[in-house]
């Protein structure tokens, strides 16, 4: 489990199952190249995803805008389905979404993207680290 903060609120993210991860990557693959700086290979995506979300938010929002509505919603709701928000006064944790409903009306769109990005970082770190590493050119 990953615990993180966005706009002063504490969230936790769990792991998605492997098939849900696969379907997210499948939908995002065509636009991932647009997120990477020119000349950066897919195998370098892991280091890209380790960056602070605010530094990639403009490119991420632009990339998401290129997805069909149903694909963007699938990606966001899938990532948010494993996220919970800590409740005040020790009342535990509450899910951020239920089905296709956002449970907190005070979450802004930029915060929504940041929360989903953090859940994505956590869920895809194993996949991205398994990609082939760049060749050193030595023979």
């Amino acid at each position: 489990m990953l615990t993180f903060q966005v706009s002063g609120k504490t969230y936790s993210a769990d792991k998605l199952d492997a098939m849900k991860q696969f379907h997210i990557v499948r939908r995002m693959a065509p636009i991932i190249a647009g997120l990477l700086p020119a000349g950066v290979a897919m195998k370098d995506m892991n280091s890209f995803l380790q960056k602070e979300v605010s530094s990639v938010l403009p490119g991420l929002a632009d990339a998401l805008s290129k997805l069909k509505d149903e694909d963007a919603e699938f990606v966001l709701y899938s990532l948010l389905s494993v996220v919970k928000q800590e409740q005040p006064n020790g009342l535990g944790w509450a899910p951020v979404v239920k089905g296709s409903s956002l449970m907190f009306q005070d979450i802004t769109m930029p915060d929504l993207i940041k929360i989903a990005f953090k859940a994505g970082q956590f869920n895809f770190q194993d996949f991205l680290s398994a990609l082939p590493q760049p060749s050193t050119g030595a023979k």
Side-chain angles (χ1 to χ4, degrees), residues 18-31:
M19 287 304 293
K20 189 70 78 167
Q21 289 179 4
F22 168 77
H23 287 298
I24 292 170
V25 169
R26 184 173 64 85
R27 284 174 170 85
M28 293 291 293
I31 64 164

Side-chain angles (χ1 to χ4, degrees), residues 24-130:
I24 292 170
V25 169
R26 184 173 64 85
R27 284 174 170 85
M28 293 291 293
I31 64 164
I32 287 175
L35 287 174
L36 296 173
V40 176
M42 176 68 175
K43 58 188 156 278
D44 298 319
M45 187 69 170
N46 195 30
S47 61
F48 174 78
L49 283 178
Q50 297 310 313
K51 293 182 177 184
E52 183 59 36
V53 67
S54 60
S55 69
V56 297
L57 191 58
L60 185 61
D62 182 58
L64 286 172
S65 75
K66 292 181 171 90
L67 286 174
K68 292 186 285 181
D69 287 352
E70 52 272 8
D71 288 339
E73 288 177 10
F74 178 86
V75 169
L76 288 173
Y77 283 127
S78 294
L79 290 170
L80 295 172
S81 73
V82 294
V83 177
K84 294 178 181 165
Q85 185 187 86
E86 186 176 33
Q87 299 305 288
N89 303 319
L91 294 176
W93 297 82
V96 171
V97 298
K98 284 189 179 177
S100 60
S101 296
L102 189 60
M103 303 311 297
F104 298 95
Q105 298 305 313
D106 62 338
I107 295 177
T108 64
M109 193 271 297
D111 285 349
L112 183 85
I113 300 296
K114 289 176 186 178
I115 295 164
F117 186 82
K118 293 298 276 185
Q121 282 179 313
F122 179 63
N123 273 278
F124 300 115
Q125 62 192 2
D126 295 338
F127 168 74
L128 294 168
S129 65

